[in-house]
Amino acid sequence: MSKIDTRLNVSPVPPDEIFALNGAYAVDPHPQKVSLGVGVYRTDDGKPWPLPVVLKAEKELVVDDDLFRHEYTAIEGDVPFLGIARDLMFGFEGKQGEEEAKARIGSVQTVAGTGANHLGALFLAHHMKPPTVWLSNPSWANHQTIWELAGVPRKTYPYYHAATRSFDFEGMMSSLESEAQEGDVVLLHACAHNPTGLDPNKEQWVAIADLCERKKLFPFFDSAYQGFASGSVEEDAWAVRYFFNNKPDMEMCVAQSFSKNFGLYGQRVGAFHYCTNRASTTLRDVVVNNLCHLIRGEFSMGPRVGCSIVKKVLTSEELTADWHQDLQVMSSRIKTMRKALYNELVRLQTPGTWEHIIQQNGMFSYTGLTPKQVYALKDKYHIYLLKSGRASISGLSQKNVAYVAQAIDDVIRNEN
């Protein structure tokens, strides 16, 4: 074989585990196969669920027949959408005195939550030059990739206590207290932590905010599940709003996604919000200007169609009420399937404790299964989940939950 003539210095990188797993599931012909890998909502029949409110909004957009619907937006994105996204995230409702708070927030449209995380990392790497970014251990795998590509050194703080399958609040606080330095970025999951499904309680969020303020750390919130986790957009934004409202002298930012809570996975709808401190509101427009500089050199402006759907819904009282109902449908089904899996494992007297499945929150569960057990589930039962044991609860249904529980029971007993 002849030598390849190239100036490139490249070597293979590992495939993305989630998409590789989904690809393997897609070609598996087994009739009882189950996908617990990719984080998308599914009905009890295992089908995609375009939100009814989204279908209504799409029909209204067709009737509107906006001649500009395929035109360019501004570099910062669809400006009315950005105001709507900001108000949803931070809880602004048009009340007196809110303008001063709004003046602290610079917002731009992004290519979904991934794009918001990437843009924020790139912006901070260029203009703040943080010594370190602290990621939870474990965290969404793409966080590592995003910050690696931004060139910011990465460290992790403890988050998951394996022995008790619980949130390691003491480990997190101790690590950040002793090792984090002024100017470090701390990445925080606003709700429904991915992959563990474990969130700080409100008292713990208050302590985390106090620590960030005292040590002059920079909070970077990733908000991917607002409204999807609990069914309440207010509850799922509590941490972000607490930091913003109660620590006005601290800068922070938020990466906001509409993929999960509107079911717009392929439309790539997102926003990035940079919050100045209350003494530096004149900096906001300069921040947006510099964010636009990065956007222009990368993708020019955010996609229009998905944000038009969100805008249509959230500017109508009737459609907004419908959306809140859709959120209840999704979050309730997730909770029901958590309880169903737990009940089956208890009924089977599966070795181990399983309370964590119903104590966790949102789309994912850190089941506690080992990589060996995960591989056995795939090879013997055609059940697909990540080697970390993270399972997408949405992939469970009334039709397959008993099968999944029996398979888990089998692989655990056979290993023992």
Side-chain angles (χ1 to χ4, degrees), residues 200-239:
N201 60 36
K202 291 178 181 178
E203 182 181 352
Q204 291 167 336
W205 274 124
V206 169
I208 294 167
D210 289 343
L211 184 147
C212 288
E213 182 180 48
R214 177 168 46 79
K215 291 185 67 68
K216 297 182 178 179
L217 308 179
F218 185 92
F220 189 126
F221 277 99
D222 186 358
S223 178
Y225 301 94
Q226 186 185 3
F228 183 98
S230 69
S232 165
V233 297
E234 289 77 21
E235 186 68 20
D236 293 345
W238 191 91

Side-chain angles (χ1 to χ4, degrees), residues 162-388:
T164 58
R165 299 178 183 178
S166 62
F167 168 46
D168 188 2
F169 174 67
E170 290 75 17
M172 173 185 179
M173 296 295 284
S174 175
S175 181
L176 292 176
E177 185 68 62
S178 61
E179 298 181 51
Q181 303 297 316
E182 180 177 338
D184 283 356
V185 173
V186 181
L187 199 143
L188 303 165
H189 300 229
C191 67
H193 182 273
N194 180 3
T196 68
L198 297 164
D199 295 328
N201 60 36
K202 291 178 181 178
E203 182 181 352
Q204 291 167 336
W205 274 124
V206 169
I208 294 167
D210 289 343
L211 184 147
C212 288
E213 182 180 48
R214 177 168 46 79
K215 291 185 67 68
K216 297 182 178 179
L217 308 179
F218 185 92
F220 189 126
F221 277 99
D222 186 358
S223 178
Y225 301 94
Q226 186 185 3
F228 183 98
S230 69
S232 165
V233 297
E234 289 77 21
E235 186 68 20
D236 293 345
W238 191 91
V240 171
R241 295 176 185 180
Y242 178 84
F243 274 63
F244 179 77
N245 293 319
N246 293 274
K247 305 296 180 183
D249 296 319
M250 183 169 63
E251 292 178 290
M252 58 180 276
C253 66
V254 183
Q256 181 182 21
S257 171
F258 291 86
S259 295
K260 304 295 193 299
N261 56 11
F262 272 81
L264 296 172
Y265 304 98
Q267 294 288 3
R268 317 312 292 144
V269 188
F272 176 75
H273 308 281
Y274 189 97
C275 307
T276 70
N277 62 56
R278 60 182 167 184
S280 304
T281 55
T282 55
L283 191 63
R284 180 192 67 176
D285 292 344
V286 180
V287 168
V288 171
N289 172 260
N290 279 269
L291 287 166
C292 286
H293 180 65
L294 295 174
I295 290 169
R296 181 61 171 147
E298 186 163 319
F299 58 93
S300 278
M301 62 205 62
R304 182 185 279 273
V305 175
C307 77
S308 296
I309 293 171
V310 172
K311 188 168 59 173
K312 173 63 73 173
V313 171
L314 295 182
T315 53
S316 161
E317 289 187 12
E318 179 184 348
L319 293 180
T320 298
D322 289 345
W323 178 56
H324 284 291
Q325 183 58 42
D326 291 346
L327 289 173
Q328 286 291 332
V329 169
M330 292 190 290
S331 62
S332 295
R333 200 185 91 73
I334 296 289
K335 292 171 186 175
T336 297
M337 295 324 303
R338 284 186 180 278
K339 183 65 173 175
L341 178 61
Y342 168 77
N343 287 343
E344 282 295 314
L345 292 169
V346 170
R347 183 183 66 80
L348 293 167
Q349 298 184 336
T350 304
T353 58
W354 301 101
E355 288 81 5
H356 58 283
I357 291 174
I358 52 176
Q359 293 168 350
Q360 293 163 355
N361 181 40
M363 180 173 281
F364 301 113
S365 171
Y366 226 46
T367 60
L369 296 171
T370 66
K372 182 179 178 182
Q373 292 165 345
V374 168
Y375 293 137
L377 284 173
K378 181 169 73 73
D379 294 341
K380 185 175 181 180
Y381 289 99
H382 303 264
I383 297 171
Y384 293 76
L385 63 159
L386 301 192
K387 64 183 178 183
S388 64

